[in-house]
Amino acid sequence: MKVKNICCIGAGYVGGPTMAIIAQKSPEITVTVVDINEKRIAAWNDPDVEQIPIYEPGLSEVVAEARGRNLFFSTDVDAAIDAADMIFISVNTPTKTYGMGKGMAADLKYIELCARQIARVAKNDKIIVEKSTLPVRTAEALKRILDNTGNGVNFQILSNPEFLAEGTAVTDLHKPDRVLIGGDLDSEKGREAIQALVDVYAHWVTPDNILTTNVWSSELSKLTANAFLAQRVSSINAMSELCEVTEADVQEVAKAIGMDSRIGPKFLKASVGFGGSCFQKDILNLVYIAKSFGLNEVADYWEQVILMNDHQKRRFAAKIVKTLFNTVSGKKIALLGWAFKKDTNDTRESAAIYVADYLLNEQAEIVVYDPKVTQEQILADLDYLGTRSEEENRKLITVVNTAEAACAEAHAVAVMTEWDEFKTLDWEAIYTHMLKPAFLFDGRRLLDKEALTDLGFEFYAIGS
Ligand code: NAI
C-alpha cells in the first residue's frame, strides 16, 4: 500500500517539524497538520514564514518550500482524519497534575480524545502512528478504543517515536541516527502497515537506518533513550559538584572519560541542569511504570536522575545567594537566557525558571534577556509555578531586549542558556556598567574564565 494522504494531529514542536520534512521529501504525499489551537495554526499559516510558531534553525525554509504545495495546516481535524490513509498522533503527553499517578504518570487524555475522534470519523481503513512519547503498551489501549467505538473499519497501530532534539530538529530529521517503527510483525496487515511507513521514510532515509521492532519495544525504546541521555547529564553534574570541592575541573574530567570509546564524548557537558518538556516527564513516567509492576529498585534507580537534576538547579541558585554575601534581597540579578537550550524558543522545564523562582523567594530583582523568548512567555512560566501572585511576579521581573540592558547596574549576571551570542558580548563594557564586585555565574560553562577574571569579574562556573 502506498500512502497518499497523511494527517498529523498536533502542530507542536514534534508534529510541525516532522511533517514539514515528510512533505518536503515526499512531494506526492499530501500532508495536513491539524491542531485545536487556532492561534498556533494561524501562525503556521502566516504569510511571513519567519512568523511560524516554532523557532528551529532551517525550519522556515523547509516550510516555505512545501507549504501550499503538499503541506497544509488546518483546524479542521475531522476533515483531515477523513481524508487520510495514515494518521500521526503527535499531541502532548504531559505529566499528570491530578488524581492517580499525579506528578509521575503520563496524562494520556489528549491521546485518548484523538483515538475517539478518529474512531468516530473514520469511514475507511487507516494506519495510526503513535508519534507522541507514550508509556509502554499504550497501543493496546488505543486499539481497544478504536476497535470498540469505530465504524467497523480496520486500524493498524504503529509506534514511531521521535528522536529529534530541539534546536537541531531539521538536521536531526534530515539525517536521523535511526528511524524506529514498531508494529504487529506477526500479521500480514501489520507487516503491510510497517512497510507503508518504511516507504514514507525511504524517500530520504537509507534502509539500514530504519529499524522495525514489535510495538512494545518501540514504545519502551523512546523512554529508555531519554532516560539514558538524562542520566549522562545527571552523572556529569554529580561529578561537577565533586570537582568544585577538590580542584578538579569537570571539563577536563569529561574530556578524559569521553575519549574512552566505550563512553564517548557527547552529552557530557556539566550545566545548571537539563530542561525541556521530555526528559523529566519521560523518566517520571518510567519510574511510575516500574513501580506499577512492583519494580521498586528499578524505579528508585531512575528517579535519582531527576533528584540530581533538581539538586543541581537549586545549588546553582544557592551559590549565587551565598556568594553575594548571603543575601540578594533588593539586588539586581541579570539572567542571560531563558530557553531550556540554545536555538529554540521552548522554555518548558527550563532551569532558568527554577533558578529565577529561587532567587525571587530570596527577594532578588530579576532582569531577563533571551534572544528568542517573549516577555509574555517568561511571565507565564513563573505564574504557572504559583509560588507568588501574578502582580508580584510582574513587580520583581523585568524583561529587556539586549544583554547589555539586562546587565547594567546589576550585582550579578548568570548565564542560563548557552546562546552563541553570549560568547561574543562586549564583556568589558558590561563589567564597566555593573556594580562592584561584579559577579558572573556561568551555568553553562560557555565563557572563558581566564579572560573574564582578567577583566575584573568574580567568576564562577559549574564544575571548577
Ligand atoms: P506540543 O505541546 O508542542 O504540541 C502538541 C499539540 O497538540 C498542541 O499544539 C496541542 O494543541 C495539540 N493537541 C492536543 N490535543 C489535541 C487534539 N485532541 N486535537 C488536535 N490537536 C491537539 O508538544 P510537542 O513538544 O510537540 O510533543 C508532542 C509529543 O512528542 C509528546 O508526547 C512529546 O513527549 C513527544 N516528543 C517531543 C519532543 C520534543 O523535543 N518536544 C521530542 C520527541 C518526542
Side-chain angles (χ1 to χ4, degrees), residues 232 235-236 239 249-270:
R232 272 176 83 95
S235 295
I236 200 69
M239 300 323 289
D249 183 305
V250 76
Q251 208 134 307
E252 291 176 355
V253 172
K255 186 165 183 200
I257 65 164
M259 285 173 77
D260 185 324
S261 60
R262 293 167 302 177
I263 297 174
K266 292 186 183 163
F267 250 71
L268 282 181
K269 181 102 193 207

PDB file of all heavy atoms in Angstrom, residues 232 235-236 239 249-270:
ATOM      1  N   ARG A 232      23.138  10.677  31.692  1.00  0.00           N
ATOM      2  CA  ARG A 232      24.509  11.152  31.433  1.00  0.00           C
ATOM      3  C   ARG A 232      24.687  12.569  31.959  1.00  0.00           C
ATOM      4  O   ARG A 232      25.714  12.903  32.533  1.00  0.00           O
ATOM      5  CB  ARG A 232      24.812  11.111  29.930  1.00  0.00           C
ATOM      6  CG  ARG A 232      25.360   9.791  29.476  1.00  0.00           C
ATOM      7  CD  ARG A 232      25.534   9.780  27.982  1.00  0.00           C
ATOM      8  NE  ARG A 232      26.767  10.390  27.519  1.00  0.00           N
ATOM      9  CZ  ARG A 232      27.885   9.721  27.257  1.00  0.00           C
ATOM     10  NH1 ARG A 232      27.946   8.423  27.449  1.00  0.00           N
ATOM     11  NH2 ARG A 232      28.956  10.338  26.808  1.00  0.00           N
ATOM     12  N   SER A 235      24.835  12.434  35.659  1.00  0.00           N
ATOM     13  CA  SER A 235      26.105  11.819  36.100  1.00  0.00           C
ATOM     14  C   SER A 235      27.231  12.844  36.068  1.00  0.00           C
ATOM     15  O   SER A 235      27.989  12.974  37.026  1.00  0.00           O
ATOM     16  CB  SER A 235      26.466  10.630  35.204  1.00  0.00           C
ATOM     17  OG  SER A 235      25.508   9.622  35.348  1.00  0.00           O
ATOM     18  N   ILE A 236      27.332  13.591  34.968  1.00  0.00           N
ATOM     19  CA  ILE A 236      28.429  14.561  34.886  1.00  0.00           C
ATOM     20  C   ILE A 236      28.150  15.726  35.850  1.00  0.00           C
ATOM     21  O   ILE A 236      29.081  16.277  36.442  1.00  0.00           O
ATOM     22  CB  ILE A 236      28.673  15.044  33.430  1.00  0.00           C
ATOM     23  CG1 ILE A 236      30.078  15.641  33.289  1.00  0.00           C
ATOM     24  CG2 ILE A 236      27.641  16.035  32.955  1.00  0.00           C
ATOM     25  CD1 ILE A 236      31.207  14.692  33.397  1.00  0.00           C
ATOM     26  N   MET A 239      29.360  14.800  39.193  1.00  0.00           N
ATOM     27  CA  MET A 239      30.816  14.946  39.274  1.00  0.00           C
ATOM     28  C   MET A 239      31.212  16.422  39.346  1.00  0.00           C
ATOM     29  O   MET A 239      32.223  16.762  39.953  1.00  0.00           O
ATOM     30  CB  MET A 239      31.506  14.288  38.067  1.00  0.00           C
ATOM     31  CG  MET A 239      31.263  12.798  37.904  1.00  0.00           C
ATOM     32  SD  MET A 239      31.176  11.863  39.431  1.00  0.00           S
ATOM     33  CE  MET A 239      32.862  11.896  39.950  1.00  0.00           C
ATOM     34  N   ASP A 249      38.652  19.740  37.501  1.00  0.00           N
ATOM     35  CA  ASP A 249      37.868  20.547  36.573  1.00  0.00           C
ATOM     36  C   ASP A 249      36.993  19.614  35.742  1.00  0.00           C
ATOM     37  O   ASP A 249      37.498  18.723  35.058  1.00  0.00           O
ATOM     38  CB  ASP A 249      38.820  21.342  35.672  1.00  0.00           C
ATOM     39  CG  ASP A 249      38.062  22.261  34.730  1.00  0.00           C
ATOM     40  OD1 ASP A 249      37.183  21.761  33.981  1.00  0.00           O
ATOM     41  OD2 ASP A 249      38.345  23.461  34.732  1.00  0.00           O
ATOM     42  N   VAL A 250      35.700  19.838  35.803  1.00  0.00           N
ATOM     43  CA  VAL A 250      34.766  18.867  35.199  1.00  0.00           C
ATOM     44  C   VAL A 250      34.954  18.764  33.678  1.00  0.00           C
ATOM     45  O   VAL A 250      34.744  17.695  33.090  1.00  0.00           O
ATOM     46  CB  VAL A 250      33.297  19.202  35.571  1.00  0.00           C
ATOM     47  CG1 VAL A 250      32.771  20.383  34.789  1.00  0.00           C
ATOM     48  CG2 VAL A 250      32.398  17.998  35.369  1.00  0.00           C
ATOM     49  N   GLN A 251      35.384  19.873  33.057  1.00  0.00           N
ATOM     50  CA  GLN A 251      35.602  19.818  31.609  1.00  0.00           C
ATOM     51  C   GLN A 251      36.765  18.875  31.275  1.00  0.00           C
ATOM     52  O   GLN A 251      36.708  18.119  30.322  1.00  0.00           O
ATOM     53  CB  GLN A 251      35.916  21.213  31.081  1.00  0.00           C
ATOM     54  CG  GLN A 251      35.510  21.390  29.640  1.00  0.00           C
ATOM     55  CD  GLN A 251      34.772  22.717  29.455  1.00  0.00           C
ATOM     56  OE1 GLN A 251      33.803  23.000  30.172  1.00  0.00           O
ATOM     57  NE2 GLN A 251      35.244  23.526  28.536  1.00  0.00           N
ATOM     58  N   GLU A 252      37.802  18.952  32.105  1.00  0.00           N
ATOM     59  CA  GLU A 252      38.956  18.064  31.886  1.00  0.00           C
ATOM     60  C   GLU A 252      38.578  16.609  32.161  1.00  0.00           C
ATOM     61  O   GLU A 252      38.973  15.704  31.433  1.00  0.00           O
ATOM     62  CB  GLU A 252      40.118  18.511  32.781  1.00  0.00           C
ATOM     63  CG  GLU A 252      40.686  19.865  32.332  1.00  0.00           C
ATOM     64  CD  GLU A 252      41.787  20.407  33.248  1.00  0.00           C
ATOM     65  OE1 GLU A 252      42.071  19.791  34.309  1.00  0.00           O
ATOM     66  OE2 GLU A 252      42.354  21.450  32.903  1.00  0.00           O
ATOM     67  N   VAL A 253      37.784  16.419  33.203  1.00  0.00           N
ATOM     68  CA  VAL A 253      37.341  15.056  33.525  1.00  0.00           C
ATOM     69  C   VAL A 253      36.483  14.517  32.376  1.00  0.00           C
ATOM     70  O   VAL A 253      36.657  13.383  31.920  1.00  0.00           O
ATOM     71  CB  VAL A 253      36.543  15.033  34.850  1.00  0.00           C
ATOM     72  CG1 VAL A 253      35.922  13.660  35.094  1.00  0.00           C
ATOM     73  CG2 VAL A 253      37.428  15.447  36.017  1.00  0.00           C
ATOM     74  N   ALA A 254      35.563  15.365  31.869  1.00  0.00           N
ATOM     75  CA  ALA A 254      34.663  14.931  30.786  1.00  0.00           C
ATOM     76  C   ALA A 254      35.471  14.554  29.547  1.00  0.00           C
ATOM     77  O   ALA A 254      35.199  13.550  28.884  1.00  0.00           O
ATOM     78  CB  ALA A 254      33.671  16.036  30.457  1.00  0.00           C
ATOM     79  N   LYS A 255      36.482  15.370  29.251  1.00  0.00           N
ATOM     80  CA  LYS A 255      37.299  15.080  28.066  1.00  0.00           C
ATOM     81  C   LYS A 255      38.034  13.752  28.245  1.00  0.00           C
ATOM     82  O   LYS A 255      38.072  12.913  27.337  1.00  0.00           O
ATOM     83  CB  LYS A 255      38.296  16.221  27.842  1.00  0.00           C
ATOM     84  CG  LYS A 255      39.067  16.058  26.564  1.00  0.00           C
ATOM     85  CD  LYS A 255      39.777  17.298  26.137  1.00  0.00           C
ATOM     86  CE  LYS A 255      40.458  17.013  24.796  1.00  0.00           C
ATOM     87  NZ  LYS A 255      41.516  17.944  24.503  1.00  0.00           N
ATOM     88  N   ALA A 256      38.599  13.578  29.435  1.00  0.00           N
ATOM     89  CA  ALA A 256      39.377  12.366  29.695  1.00  0.00           C
ATOM     90  C   ALA A 256      38.513  11.109  29.591  1.00  0.00           C
ATOM     91  O   ALA A 256      38.921  10.112  28.993  1.00  0.00           O
ATOM     92  CB  ALA A 256      40.021  12.458  31.077  1.00  0.00           C
ATOM     93  N   ILE A 257      37.313  11.158  30.136  1.00  0.00           N
ATOM     94  CA  ILE A 257      36.483   9.940  30.071  1.00  0.00           C
ATOM     95  C   ILE A 257      35.844   9.789  28.694  1.00  0.00           C
ATOM     96  O   ILE A 257      35.641   8.692  28.201  1.00  0.00           O
ATOM     97  CB  ILE A 257      35.415   9.875  31.191  1.00  0.00           C
ATOM     98  CG1 ILE A 257      34.389  11.003  31.047  1.00  0.00           C
ATOM     99  CG2 ILE A 257      36.040   9.867  32.567  1.00  0.00           C
ATOM    100  CD1 ILE A 257      33.122  10.773  31.855  1.00  0.00           C
ATOM    101  N   GLY A 258      35.550  10.940  28.057  1.00  0.00           N
ATOM    102  CA  GLY A 258      34.867  10.902  26.752  1.00  0.00           C
ATOM    103  C   GLY A 258      35.729  10.291  25.657  1.00  0.00           C
ATOM    104  O   GLY A 258      35.210   9.812  24.640  1.00  0.00           O
ATOM    105  N   MET A 259      37.049  10.310  25.848  1.00  0.00           N
ATOM    106  CA  MET A 259      37.925   9.715  24.829  1.00  0.00           C
ATOM    107  C   MET A 259      37.947   8.190  24.920  1.00  0.00           C
ATOM    108  O   MET A 259      38.491   7.517  24.052  1.00  0.00           O
ATOM    109  CB  MET A 259      39.342  10.293  24.947  1.00  0.00           C
ATOM    110  CG  MET A 259      39.391  11.716  24.392  1.00  0.00           C
ATOM    111  SD  MET A 259      40.949  12.534  24.674  1.00  0.00           S
ATOM    112  CE  MET A 259      41.957  11.770  23.412  1.00  0.00           C
ATOM    113  N   ASP A 260      37.367   7.674  25.961  1.00  0.00           N
ATOM    114  CA  ASP A 260      37.181   6.220  26.061  1.00  0.00           C
ATOM    115  C   ASP A 260      36.043   5.868  25.099  1.00  0.00           C
ATOM    116  O   ASP A 260      34.916   6.351  25.271  1.00  0.00           O
ATOM    117  CB  ASP A 260      36.788   5.877  27.506  1.00  0.00           C
ATOM    118  CG  ASP A 260      36.690   4.387  27.737  1.00  0.00           C
ATOM    119  OD1 ASP A 260      36.251   3.669  26.806  1.00  0.00           O
ATOM    120  OD2 ASP A 260      37.047   3.947  28.835  1.00  0.00           O
ATOM    121  N   SER A 261      36.332   5.040  24.102  1.00  0.00           N
ATOM    122  CA  SER A 261      35.310   4.799  23.079  1.00  0.00           C
ATOM    123  C   SER A 261      34.072   4.127  23.660  1.00  0.00           C
ATOM    124  O   SER A 261      32.995   4.204  23.094  1.00  0.00           O
ATOM    125  CB  SER A 261      35.880   3.974  21.923  1.00  0.00           C
ATOM    126  OG  SER A 261      36.339   2.741  22.435  1.00  0.00           O
ATOM    127  N   ARG A 262      34.206   3.489  24.821  1.00  0.00           N
ATOM    128  CA  ARG A 262      33.010   2.878  25.422  1.00  0.00           C
ATOM    129  C   ARG A 262      32.094   3.948  26.009  1.00  0.00           C
ATOM    130  O   ARG A 262      30.895   3.736  26.150  1.00  0.00           O
ATOM    131  CB  ARG A 262      33.410   1.903  26.542  1.00  0.00           C
ATOM    132  CG  ARG A 262      34.152   0.682  26.038  1.00  0.00           C
ATOM    133  CD  ARG A 262      34.782  -0.055  27.187  1.00  0.00           C
ATOM    134  NE  ARG A 262      35.695   0.817  27.939  1.00  0.00           N
ATOM    135  CZ  ARG A 262      36.351   0.448  29.038  1.00  0.00           C
ATOM    136  NH1 ARG A 262      36.190  -0.762  29.521  1.00  0.00           N
ATOM    137  NH2 ARG A 262      37.161   1.288  29.651  1.00  0.00           N
ATOM    138  N   ILE A 263      32.664   5.089  26.362  1.00  0.00           N
ATOM    139  CA  ILE A 263      31.847   6.162  26.952  1.00  0.00           C
ATOM    140  C   ILE A 263      31.427   7.180  25.890  1.00  0.00           C
ATOM    141  O   ILE A 263      30.261   7.505  25.767  1.00  0.00           O
ATOM    142  CB  ILE A 263      32.618   6.844  28.115  1.00  0.00           C
ATOM    143  CG1 ILE A 263      32.863   5.826  29.230  1.00  0.00           C
ATOM    144  CG2 ILE A 263      31.850   8.054  28.652  1.00  0.00           C
ATOM    145  CD1 ILE A 263      33.728   6.313  30.365  1.00  0.00           C
ATOM    146  N   GLY A 264      32.385   7.656  25.106  1.00  0.00           N
ATOM    147  CA  GLY A 264      32.068   8.605  24.036  1.00  0.00           C
ATOM    148  C   GLY A 264      31.955  10.030  24.558  1.00  0.00           C
ATOM    149  O   GLY A 264      31.643  10.243  25.730  1.00  0.00           O
ATOM    150  N   PRO A 265      32.208  11.023  23.692  1.00  0.00           N
ATOM    151  CA  PRO A 265      32.325  12.405  24.164  1.00  0.00           C
ATOM    152  C   PRO A 265      31.017  13.187  24.279  1.00  0.00           C
ATOM    153  O   PRO A 265      30.994  14.265  24.870  1.00  0.00           O
ATOM    154  CB  PRO A 265      33.211  13.052  23.086  1.00  0.00           C
ATOM    155  CG  PRO A 265      32.919  12.269  21.848  1.00  0.00           C
ATOM    156  CD  PRO A 265      32.558  10.873  22.275  1.00  0.00           C
ATOM    157  N   LYS A 266      29.917  12.679  23.696  1.00  0.00           N
ATOM    158  CA  LYS A 266      28.719  13.522  23.651  1.00  0.00           C
ATOM    159  C   LYS A 266      27.926  13.489  24.953  1.00  0.00           C
ATOM    160  O   LYS A 266      27.977  12.527  25.693  1.00  0.00           O
ATOM    161  CB  LYS A 266      27.823  13.062  22.507  1.00  0.00           C
ATOM    162  CG  LYS A 266      28.438  13.338  21.154  1.00  0.00           C
ATOM    163  CD  LYS A 266      27.479  13.000  20.052  1.00  0.00           C
ATOM    164  CE  LYS A 266      28.140  13.224  18.707  1.00  0.00           C
ATOM    165  NZ  LYS A 266      27.408  12.539  17.644  1.00  0.00           N
ATOM    166  N   PHE A 267      27.171  14.594  25.165  1.00  0.00           N
ATOM    167  CA  PHE A 267      26.273  14.659  26.318  1.00  0.00           C
ATOM    168  C   PHE A 267      27.012  14.553  27.646  1.00  0.00           C
ATOM    169  O   PHE A 267      26.532  13.934  28.595  1.00  0.00           O
ATOM    170  CB  PHE A 267      25.194  13.563  26.206  1.00  0.00           C
ATOM    171  CG  PHE A 267      23.844  14.149  25.924  1.00  0.00           C
ATOM    172  CD1 PHE A 267      23.567  14.700  24.687  1.00  0.00           C
ATOM    173  CD2 PHE A 267      22.853  14.191  26.901  1.00  0.00           C
ATOM    174  CE1 PHE A 267      22.335  15.281  24.423  1.00  0.00           C
ATOM    175  CE2 PHE A 267      21.624  14.761  26.661  1.00  0.00           C
ATOM    176  CZ  PHE A 267      21.369  15.304  25.419  1.00  0.00           C
ATOM    177  N   LEU A 268      28.208  15.142  27.687  1.00  0.00           N
ATOM    178  CA  LEU A 268      28.986  15.113  28.928  1.00  0.00           C
ATOM    179  C   LEU A 268      29.289  16.528  29.398  1.00  0.00           C
ATOM    180  O   LEU A 268      30.306  16.763  30.032  1.00  0.00           O
ATOM    181  CB  LEU A 268      30.306  14.357  28.703  1.00  0.00           C
ATOM    182  CG  LEU A 268      30.227  12.839  28.677  1.00  0.00           C
ATOM    183  CD1 LEU A 268      31.609  12.233  28.484  1.00  0.00           C
ATOM    184  CD2 LEU A 268      29.608  12.305  29.979  1.00  0.00           C
ATOM    185  N   LYS A 269      28.432  17.464  29.063  1.00  0.00           N
ATOM    186  CA  LYS A 269      28.688  18.844  29.426  1.00  0.00           C
ATOM    187  C   LYS A 269      27.967  19.162  30.739  1.00  0.00           C
ATOM    188  O   LYS A 269      26.745  19.060  30.814  1.00  0.00           O
ATOM    189  CB  LYS A 269      28.170  19.729  28.287  1.00  0.00           C
ATOM    190  CG  LYS A 269      28.360  21.182  28.483  1.00  0.00           C
ATOM    191  CD  LYS A 269      29.522  21.693  27.677  1.00  0.00           C
ATOM    192  CE  LYS A 269      29.859  23.086  28.154  1.00  0.00           C
ATOM    193  NZ  LYS A 269      30.464  23.931  27.223  1.00  0.00           N
ATOM    194  N   ALA A 270      28.756  19.529  31.737  1.00  0.00           N
ATOM    195  CA  ALA A 270      28.133  19.904  33.009  1.00  0.00           C
ATOM    196  C   ALA A 270      27.376  21.218  32.834  1.00  0.00           C
ATOM    197  O   ALA A 270      27.779  22.073  32.054  1.00  0.00           O
ATOM    198  CB  ALA A 270      29.201  20.059  34.087  1.00  0.00           C
TER     199      ALA A 270
END
